[in-house]
Coordinates of all heavy atoms in Angstrom, one line a residue:
F128 N -40.4 122.6 -65.7 CA -41.2 122.4 -64.4 C -41.0 123.7 -63.7 O -39.9 124.1 -63.5 CB -40.8 121.2 -63.6 CG -41.4 121.1 -62.2 CD1 -42.7 120.6 -62.2 CD2 -40.8 121.5 -61.2 CE1 -43.4 120.4 -60.9 CE2 -41.3 121.4 -59.9 CZ -42.6 120.8 -59.8
T129 N -42.0 124.3 -63.1 CA -41.9 125.5 -62.3 C -41.8 125.0 -60.8 O -42.5 124.1 -60.4 CB -43.1 126.5 -62.5 OG1 -43.1 126.8 -63.8 CG2 -43.0 127.7 -61.6
G130 N -40.9 125.7 -60.1 CA -40.7 125.4 -58.7 C -41.9 125.6 -57.8 O -43.0 126.0 -58.2
M131 N -41.8 125.3 -56.5 CA -42.9 125.2 -55.6 C -43.2 126.6 -55.1 O -42.2 127.3 -54.7 CB -42.5 124.4 -54.4 CG -43.5 124.1 -53.3 SD -42.7 123.0 -52.0 CE -43.2 124.0 -50.7
G132 N -44.4 126.9 -54.8 CA -44.9 128.1 -54.3 C -45.7 128.9 -55.3 O -45.2 129.1 -56.4
K133 N -46.9 129.4 -54.8 CA -47.7 130.0 -55.8 C -47.7 131.5 -55.6 O -48.3 132.2 -56.5 CB -49.2 129.4 -55.8 CG -49.2 128.1 -56.2 CD -50.7 127.6 -56.1 CE -50.7 126.0 -56.4 NZ -51.9 125.7 -57.0
T134 N -47.2 132.0 -54.5 CA -47.1 133.4 -54.3 C -45.7 133.7 -53.8 O -45.1 132.9 -53.1 CB -48.2 133.9 -53.3 OG1 -47.8 133.4 -52.0 CG2 -49.5 133.8 -53.7
G135 N -45.2 135.0 -53.9 CA -43.9 135.5 -53.5 C -42.7 134.8 -54.3 O -43.1 134.0 -55.1
D136 N -41.6 135.2 -54.0 CA -40.4 134.7 -54.7 C -40.1 133.2 -54.3 O -40.2 133.0 -53.1 CB -39.2 135.6 -54.3 CG -39.2 137.1 -55.0 OD1 -40.0 137.2 -56.0 OD2 -38.5 137.9 -54.6
Q137 N -39.7 132.5 -55.2 CA -39.3 131.1 -55.2 C -37.8 131.2 -54.8 O -37.0 132.2 -55.2 CB -39.6 130.4 -56.2 CG -41.1 130.1 -56.5 CD -41.4 129.2 -57.6 OE1 -40.4 128.8 -58.5 NE2 -42.6 128.9 -57.8
S138 N -37.3 130.2 -54.2 CA -35.8 130.0 -53.8 C -35.4 128.6 -54.0 O -36.3 127.7 -53.9 CB -35.6 130.4 -52.4 OG -34.4 130.1 -51.9
L139 N -34.2 128.4 -54.3 CA -33.5 127.0 -54.3 C -33.0 126.7 -52.9 O -32.4 125.5 -52.8 CB -32.4 127.0 -55.3 CG -32.7 127.1 -56.7 CD1 -31.5 127.3 -57.6 CD2 -33.5 126.0 -57.1
E140 N -33.4 127.5 -51.9 CA -32.7 127.2 -50.6 C -33.7 126.4 -49.7 O -33.3 126.2 -48.4 CB -32.3 128.6 -49.9 CG -31.4 129.3 -50.7 CD -30.0 128.6 -51.0 OE1 -29.5 128.0 -50.0 OE2 -29.6 128.6 -52.1
Y141 N -34.9 126.0 -50.1 CA -35.8 125.4 -49.2 C -36.7 124.3 -49.8 O -36.8 124.4 -51.1 CB -36.6 126.4 -48.5 CG -37.6 127.1 -49.4 CD1 -38.8 126.5 -49.7 CD2 -37.3 128.2 -50.1 CE1 -39.7 127.2 -50.6 CE2 -38.1 128.8 -50.8 CZ -39.3 128.2 -51.2 OH -40.4 128.9 -52.1
S142 N -37.1 123.4 -49.1 CA -38.0 122.4 -49.4 C -37.8 121.6 -50.7 O -36.7 121.3 -51.1 CB -39.4 123.1 -49.4 OG -40.5 122.2 -49.2
Q143 N -38.9 121.4 -51.4 CA -38.7 120.5 -52.7 C -37.8 121.2 -53.8 O -37.3 120.5 -54.6 CB -40.1 120.2 -53.3 CG -40.8 119.2 -52.4 CD -41.8 119.7 -51.4 OE1 -41.6 120.8 -50.9 NE2 -42.5 118.8 -50.8
N144 N -37.8 122.6 -53.8 CA -37.0 123.3 -54.8 C -35.6 122.8 -54.6 O -34.9 122.6 -55.5 CB -37.2 124.7 -54.8 CG -38.5 125.2 -55.3 OD1 -39.3 124.4 -55.8 ND2 -38.8 126.5 -54.9
K145 N -35.1 122.9 -53.3 CA -33.8 122.5 -53.0 C -33.5 121.0 -53.4 O -32.4 120.7 -54.0 CB -33.5 122.8 -51.6 CG -32.1 122.4 -51.2 CD -31.7 122.9 -49.7 CE -30.3 122.7 -49.4 NZ -30.0 123.1 -48.0
T146 N -34.4 120.0 -52.9 CA -34.3 118.8 -53.2 C -34.2 118.5 -54.7 O -33.3 117.6 -55.1 CB -35.5 118.0 -52.7 OG1 -35.6 118.2 -51.3 CG2 -35.5 116.5 -52.9
L147 N -35.0 119.1 -55.6 CA -35.0 118.9 -57.0 C -33.6 119.4 -57.5 O -33.1 118.9 -58.5 CB -36.1 119.6 -57.7 CG -36.3 119.3 -59.2 CD1 -36.2 117.8 -59.6 CD2 -37.7 119.9 -59.6
A148 N -33.3 120.6 -57.1 CA -32.0 121.2 -57.7 C -30.8 120.3 -57.3 O -29.8 120.4 -58.2 CB -31.8 122.6 -57.0
E149 N -30.8 119.6 -56.3 CA -29.6 118.7 -55.8 C -29.8 117.3 -56.2 O -29.0 116.5 -55.9 CB -29.5 118.8 -54.3 CG -29.1 120.3 -53.9 CD -29.2 120.4 -52.3 OE1 -29.5 119.5 -51.6 OE2 -28.6 121.5 -51.9
S150 N -30.9 117.0 -56.9 CA -31.2 115.5 -57.3 C -30.2 114.9 -58.0 O -30.0 113.6 -57.8 CB -32.6 115.4 -58.0 OG -32.5 116.1 -59.2
K151 N -29.4 115.5 -58.9 CA -28.4 114.8 -59.7 C -27.3 114.3 -58.7 O -26.7 113.3 -59.1 CB -27.9 115.6 -60.9 CG -28.8 115.6 -62.0 CD -28.0 115.9 -63.3 CE -28.9 115.5 -64.5 NZ -28.1 115.3 -65.7
T152 N -26.9 115.1 -57.8 CA -25.8 114.8 -57.1 C -26.2 113.9 -55.8 O -25.5 113.2 -55.1 CB -25.0 116.0 -56.5 OG1 -25.9 116.9 -55.8 CG2 -24.3 116.7 -57.6
S153 N -27.4 114.1 -55.4 CA -28.0 113.3 -54.1 C -28.3 112.0 -54.4 O -28.5 111.1 -53.6 CB -29.1 114.1 -53.5 OG -30.2 114.1 -54.2
G154 N -28.7 111.7 -55.8 CA -29.2 110.4 -56.2 C -30.7 110.1 -55.9 O -31.2 109.0 -56.1
I155 N -31.4 111.1 -55.5 CA -32.8 111.0 -55.3 C -33.5 110.8 -56.6 O -33.1 111.4 -57.6 CB -33.4 112.2 -54.5 CG1 -34.8 111.8 -54.1 CG2 -33.5 113.4 -55.3 CD1 -35.3 112.8 -53.0
Q156 N -34.5 109.9 -56.6 CA -35.3 109.7 -57.9 C -36.4 110.6 -57.9 O -37.1 111.0 -56.9 CB -35.9 108.3 -57.8 CG -34.7 107.2 -57.9 CD -35.3 105.8 -57.8 OE1 -35.9 105.4 -56.8 NE2 -35.0 105.0 -58.9
V157 N -36.6 111.1 -59.2 CA -37.7 112.1 -59.4 C -38.7 111.6 -60.4 O -38.5 111.1 -61.4 CB -37.1 113.5 -59.9 CG1 -38.3 114.6 -60.1 CG2 -36.0 114.0 -59.0
Y158 N -40.1 111.7 -59.9 CA -41.1 111.2 -60.7 C -42.0 112.4 -61.0 O -42.4 113.1 -60.2 CB -41.9 110.1 -60.0 CG -41.0 108.9 -59.8 CD1 -40.4 108.8 -58.5 CD2 -40.8 107.9 -60.7 CE1 -39.5 107.7 -58.3 CE2 -39.9 106.9 -60.4 CZ -39.4 106.9 -59.1 OH -38.5 105.7 -58.9
L159 N -42.5 112.6 -62.3 CA -43.3 113.6 -62.7 C -44.7 113.2 -62.8 O -45.1 112.1 -63.5 CB -42.9 114.3 -64.1 CG -43.6 115.3 -64.7 CD1 -43.6 116.6 -63.8 CD2 -43.1 115.6 -66.1
F160 N -45.7 114.0 -62.3 CA -47.1 113.8 -62.4 C -47.6 115.1 -63.0 O -47.2 116.2 -62.5 CB -47.8 113.5 -61.1 CG -47.4 112.2 -60.5 CD1 -46.3 112.1 -59.8 CD2 -48.3 111.1 -60.7 CE1 -46.0 110.8 -59.3 CE2 -47.9 109.9 -60.2 CZ -46.8 109.7 -59.5
E161 N -48.5 115.2 -64.0 CA -49.1 116.3 -64.5 C -50.6 116.4 -64.2 O -51.2 115.3 -64.0 CB -49.0 116.4 -66.1 CG -47.5 116.5 -66.6 CD -47.4 116.6 -68.1 OE1 -48.1 115.8 -68.8 OE2 -46.8 117.6 -68.5
T162 N -51.0 117.7 -64.1 CA -52.5 117.9 -63.8 C -53.1 118.9 -64.8 O -52.4 120.0 -65.0 CB -52.7 118.1 -62.3 OG1 -54.2 118.2 -62.1 CG2 -52.1 119.4 -61.9
F163 N -54.1 118.6 -65.3 CA -54.8 119.5 -66.2 C -56.1 120.0 -65.6 O -56.8 120.9 -66.2 CB -54.8 119.0 -67.6 CG -53.5 118.6 -68.3 CD1 -53.1 117.4 -68.2 CD2 -52.7 119.7 -68.7 CE1 -51.9 117.0 -68.7 CE2 -51.6 119.3 -69.2 CZ -51.1 118.1 -69.3
E164 N -56.6 119.3 -64.6 CA -57.8 119.6 -64.0 C -57.7 119.3 -62.5 O -56.9 118.3 -62.2 CB -59.0 118.9 -64.6 CG -59.0 117.5 -64.6 CD -60.2 116.8 -65.4 OE1 -60.2 117.0 -66.5 OE2 -61.0 116.3 -64.7
P165 N -58.2 120.0 -61.6 CA -58.1 119.8 -60.2 C -58.5 118.3 -59.7 O -59.5 117.8 -60.2 CB -59.2 120.7 -59.5 CG -59.3 121.8 -60.6 CD -59.2 121.2 -61.8
G166 N -57.6 117.7 -59.0 CA -57.8 116.4 -58.5 C -57.4 115.3 -59.4 O -57.6 114.0 -59.1
A167 N -57.1 115.6 -60.6 CA -56.8 114.5 -61.7 C -55.3 114.6 -62.1 O -54.8 115.6 -62.5 CB -57.6 114.7 -63.0
Y168 N -54.5 113.5 -61.8 CA -53.1 113.5 -62.0 C -52.7 112.4 -63.1 O -53.4 111.3 -62.9 CB -52.3 113.3 -60.7 CG -52.5 114.3 -59.7 CD1 -53.6 114.4 -58.8 CD2 -51.8 115.5 -59.8 CE1 -53.8 115.3 -57.9 CE2 -52.0 116.5 -58.9 CZ -53.0 116.4 -58.0 OH -53.2 117.5 -57.1
Q169 N -51.8 112.7 -63.9 CA -51.3 111.7 -64.9 C -49.8 111.4 -64.6 O -49.1 112.5 -64.6 CB -51.5 112.3 -66.2 CG -51.2 111.3 -67.3 CD -51.3 111.7 -68.7 OE1 -52.0 112.8 -68.9 NE2 -50.7 111.1 -69.8
Y170 N -49.6 110.2 -64.4 CA -48.2 109.8 -64.2 C -47.3 109.8 -65.4 O -47.8 109.2 -66.4 CB -48.1 108.4 -63.6 CG -46.6 107.8 -63.4 CD1 -45.9 108.4 -62.5 CD2 -46.3 106.8 -64.2 CE1 -44.6 107.9 -62.3 CE2 -45.0 106.2 -64.0 CZ -44.2 106.8 -63.0 OH -42.9 106.3 -62.9
C171 N -46.3 110.6 -65.5 CA -45.5 110.8 -66.7 C -44.2 110.0 -66.6 O -43.4 109.9 -67.6 CB -45.1 112.2 -66.9 SG -46.6 113.2 -67.1
G172 N -43.8 109.4 -65.5 CA -42.6 108.5 -65.4 C -41.4 109.3 -64.7 O -41.6 110.3 -64.1
E173 N -40.3 108.6 -64.6 CA -39.2 109.2 -64.0 C -38.5 110.1 -64.8 O -38.3 109.9 -66.1 CB -38.2 108.0 -63.6 CG -37.1 108.5 -62.7 CD -36.2 107.3 -62.1 OE1 -36.4 106.1 -62.6 OE2 -35.3 107.6 -61.4
V174 N -38.1 111.2 -64.2 CA -37.4 112.4 -65.0 C -36.2 112.8 -64.2 O -35.8 112.4 -63.1 CB -38.2 113.6 -65.1 CG1 -39.5 113.3 -65.9 CG2 -38.8 114.1 -63.7
E175 N -35.2 113.6 -64.9 CA -34.1 114.1 -64.3 C -33.9 115.5 -64.8 O -34.4 115.8 -65.8 CB -32.9 113.2 -64.5 CG -32.6 113.1 -66.1 CD -31.4 112.1 -66.3 OE1 -30.7 111.7 -65.4 OE2 -31.2 111.7 -67.6
L176 N -33.0 116.3 -64.2 CA -32.7 117.6 -64.7 C -32.0 117.6 -66.1 O -31.1 116.8 -66.2 CB -31.8 118.3 -63.7 CG -32.5 118.9 -62.4 CD1 -31.5 119.3 -61.3 CD2 -33.6 119.8 -62.7
A177 N -32.5 118.3 -66.9 CA -31.8 118.3 -68.3 C -30.7 119.4 -68.3 O -29.9 119.4 -69.2 CB -32.8 118.6 -69.4
A178 N -30.8 120.3 -67.5 CA -30.0 121.5 -67.4 C -30.1 122.1 -65.9 O -30.9 121.7 -65.3 CB -30.2 122.5 -68.5
A179 N -29.3 123.1 -65.7 CA -29.3 123.8 -64.4 C -30.7 124.4 -64.3 O -31.1 125.2 -65.2 CB -28.1 124.7 -64.3
P180 N -31.2 124.6 -63.0 CA -32.4 125.5 -62.8 C -32.0 126.9 -63.0 O -30.8 127.3 -63.0 CB -32.7 125.2 -61.4 CG -32.0 124.0 -60.9 CD -30.9 123.9 -61.9
F181 N -33.1 127.7 -63.5 CA -32.8 129.1 -63.8 C -34.0 129.9 -63.3 O -35.1 129.5 -63.1 CB -32.6 129.3 -65.2 CG -33.7 129.0 -66.2 CD1 -34.6 129.9 -66.5 CD2 -33.8 127.6 -66.7 CE1 -35.7 129.6 -67.4 CE2 -34.8 127.2 -67.5 CZ -35.8 128.1 -67.9
E182 N -33.7 131.2 -63.0 CA -34.7 132.1 -62.6 C -35.5 132.8 -63.8 O -35.0 132.9 -64.9 CB -34.1 133.3 -61.8 CG -33.5 132.9 -60.4 CD -33.0 134.0 -59.7 OE1 -33.1 135.2 -60.1 OE2 -32.4 133.8 -58.6
D183 N -36.7 133.1 -63.5 CA -37.6 133.7 -64.5 C -38.6 134.5 -63.7 O -38.4 134.6 -62.4 CB -38.5 132.6 -65.3 CG -38.9 133.2 -66.7 OD1 -38.8 134.4 -66.9 OD2 -39.4 132.4 -67.5
S184 N -39.5 135.2 -64.3 CA -40.6 135.9 -63.4 C -41.9 135.5 -63.9 O -42.2 135.1 -65.2 CB -40.3 137.4 -63.6 OG -40.4 137.8 -64.9
A185 N -42.9 135.7 -63.2 CA -44.3 135.3 -63.5 C -45.2 136.0 -62.5 O -44.8 136.5 -61.3 CB -44.5 133.8 -63.5
I186 N -46.4 136.1 -62.8 CA -47.5 136.5 -61.8 C -48.0 135.5 -61.0 O -48.3 134.4 -61.5 CB -48.7 137.2 -62.7 CG1 -48.2 138.2 -63.6 CG2 -49.7 137.8 -61.8 CD1 -47.7 139.5 -63.1
G187 N -48.0 135.7 -59.6 CA -48.5 134.7 -58.7 C -50.0 134.7 -58.6 O -50.6 135.5 -59.2
T188 N -50.4 133.8 -57.8 CA -51.9 133.7 -57.7 C -52.5 134.9 -57.0 O -53.7 135.1 -57.0 CB -52.3 132.4 -56.8 OG1 -51.6 132.4 -55.6 CG2 -52.0 131.2 -57.5
D189 N -51.6 135.8 -56.2 CA -52.1 137.0 -55.7 C -52.0 138.3 -56.6 O -52.2 139.3 -56.2 CB -51.2 137.4 -54.5 CG -49.7 137.3 -54.8 OD1 -49.4 137.4 -56.0 OD2 -49.0 137.7 -53.9
G190 N -51.7 137.9 -58.0 CA -51.6 139.0 -59.0 C -50.3 139.8 -59.0 O -50.3 140.7 -59.8
K191 N -49.4 139.5 -58.1 CA -48.1 140.2 -58.1 C -47.0 139.6 -58.8 O -46.9 138.2 -58.9 CB -47.7 140.4 -56.6 CG -48.7 141.2 -55.7 CD -48.2 141.3 -54.3 CE -49.2 142.1 -53.5 NZ -48.8 142.1 -52.1
L192 N -46.1 140.3 -59.4 CA -45.0 139.8 -60.1 C -44.0 139.2 -59.1 O -43.7 139.8 -58.1 CB -44.4 140.9 -61.1 CG -43.2 140.5 -61.9 CD1 -43.7 139.6 -63.0 CD2 -42.6 141.7 -62.5
R193 N -43.4 138.1 -59.6 CA -42.5 137.4 -58.5 C -41.5 136.6 -59.3 O -41.6 136.3 -60.5 CB -43.3 136.4 -57.7 CG -43.8 135.2 -58.5 CD -45.0 134.7 -57.7 NE -45.5 133.4 -58.5 CZ -45.1 132.2 -58.1 NH1 -44.5 132.0 -57.0 NH2 -45.6 131.2 -58.7
K194 N -40.4 136.3 -58.6 CA -39.3 135.5 -59.2 C -39.7 134.1 -59.0 O -40.1 133.5 -57.9 CB -38.0 135.7 -58.3 CG -36.8 134.8 -58.8 CD -35.6 135.2 -58.0 CE -35.7 134.4 -56.7 NZ -34.5 134.6 -55.7
I195 N -39.5 133.3 -60.1 CA -39.9 131.8 -60.0 C -38.6 131.1 -60.5 O -37.7 131.6 -61.0 CB -41.0 131.4 -61.0 CG1 -40.8 131.7 -62.4 CG2 -42.3 132.1 -60.4 CD1 -41.8 131.2 -63.3
I196 N -38.6 129.8 -60.1 CA -37.4 128.8 -60.5 C -38.0 127.9 -61.6 O -39.0 127.3 -61.4 CB -36.9 128.1 -59.3 CG1 -36.5 129.0 -58.2 CG2 -35.6 127.2 -59.8 CD1 -35.4 130.1 -58.6
K197 N -37.3 127.8 -62.8 CA -37.7 126.8 -63.8 C -36.7 125.7 -63.8 O -35.5 125.9 -63.6 CB -37.7 127.5 -65.2 CG -38.7 128.5 -65.3 CD -40.0 127.8 -65.5 CE -41.1 128.8 -66.1 NZ -42.4 128.2 -66.5
F198 N -37.2 124.5 -63.8 CA -36.4 123.2 -63.8 C -36.5 122.6 -65.1 O -37.6 121.9 -65.4 CB -36.8 122.3 -62.8 CG -36.6 122.9 -61.2 CD1 -37.5 123.5 -60.6 CD2 -35.4 122.6 -60.6 CE1 -37.4 124.1 -59.4 CE2 -35.1 123.1 -59.3 CZ -36.1 123.8 -58.6
P199 N -35.5 122.6 -66.0 CA -35.7 121.8 -67.3 C -35.5 120.3 -66.9 O -34.5 119.9 -66.2 CB -34.5 122.3 -68.1 CG -33.9 123.5 -67.4 CD -34.3 123.4 -65.9
L200 N -36.5 119.6 -67.3 CA -36.5 118.2 -67.0 C -36.6 117.4 -68.3 O -37.1 117.8 -69.4 CB -37.9 117.8 -66.2 CG -38.0 118.5 -64.9 CD1 -39.4 118.0 -64.3 CD2 -36.9 118.1 -64.0
K201 N -36.1 116.2 -68.3 CA -36.2 115.2 -69.4 C -36.5 113.7 -68.8 O -36.2 113.5 -67.7 CB -34.9 115.1 -70.2 CG -33.7 114.6 -69.4 CD -32.5 114.6 -70.2 CE -31.4 114.0 -69.5 NZ -30.1 114.0 -70.3
Q202 N -37.2 113.1 -69.7 CA -37.4 111.6 -69.2 C -36.1 110.9 -69.1 O -35.1 111.2 -69.8 CB -38.1 110.9 -70.5 CG -39.6 111.3 -70.7 CD -40.5 110.9 -69.6 OE1 -41.3 111.7 -69.1 NE2 -40.5 109.7 -69.1
K203 N -36.0 110.1 -67.9 CA -34.9 109.4 -67.6 C -34.9 108.0 -68.5 O -35.9 107.3 -68.5 CB -34.8 109.1 -66.1 CG -33.5 108.6 -65.7 CD -33.3 108.6 -64.4 CE -31.9 108.1 -63.9 NZ -31.7 108.1 -62.5
S204 N -33.7 107.8 -69.1 CA -33.6 106.5 -69.9 C -33.1 105.4 -69.2 O -32.7 105.4 -68.1 CB -32.9 106.8 -71.2 OG -32.0 107.7 -71.1

């Protein structure tokens, strides 16, 4: 899963990225929804972090290279 934010560098210090990064220790439940077309969402179930989040890079919607956060997820059993 790629972190929140479509332009500029992403961070683990704010908003849903921080919540997801801390989800194993905070006890918050995480549910995954996927979308393949605008306005249509598919419920995939409850998930959890499979490993620590890590940094990567990608092109933002503004066409600029930026730092992104990847969250390895797995289905929760």
Side-chain angles (χ1 to χ4, degrees):
F128 175 80
T129 302
M131 185 180 129
K133 295 183 181 210
T134 61
D136 290 340
Q137 294 181 352
S138 169
L139 291 176
E140 301 302 315
Y141 66 90
S142 202
Q143 286 89 347
N144 291 347
K145 182 175 182 177
T146 301
L147 183 53
E149 296 174 349
S150 62
K151 278 206 164 203
T152 56
S153 70
I155 195 165
Q156 293 175 303
V157 179
Y158 300 94
L159 179 65
F160 293 82
E161 289 184 312
T162 183
F163 299 102
E164 58 186 68
Y168 297 91
Q169 180 177 347
Y170 176 67
C171 299
E173 189 172 3
V174 296
E175 63 185 349
L176 287 173
F181 61 92
E182 290 184 7
D183 201 354
S184 59
I186 302 296
T188 56
D189 59 1
K191 296 179 182 177
L192 187 64
R193 68 203 186 103
K194 178 181 76 175
I195 61 170
I196 308 296
K197 293 285 194 169
F198 294 90
L200 301 177
K201 66 178 182 179
Q202 290 288 134
K203 191 166 182 180
S204 23

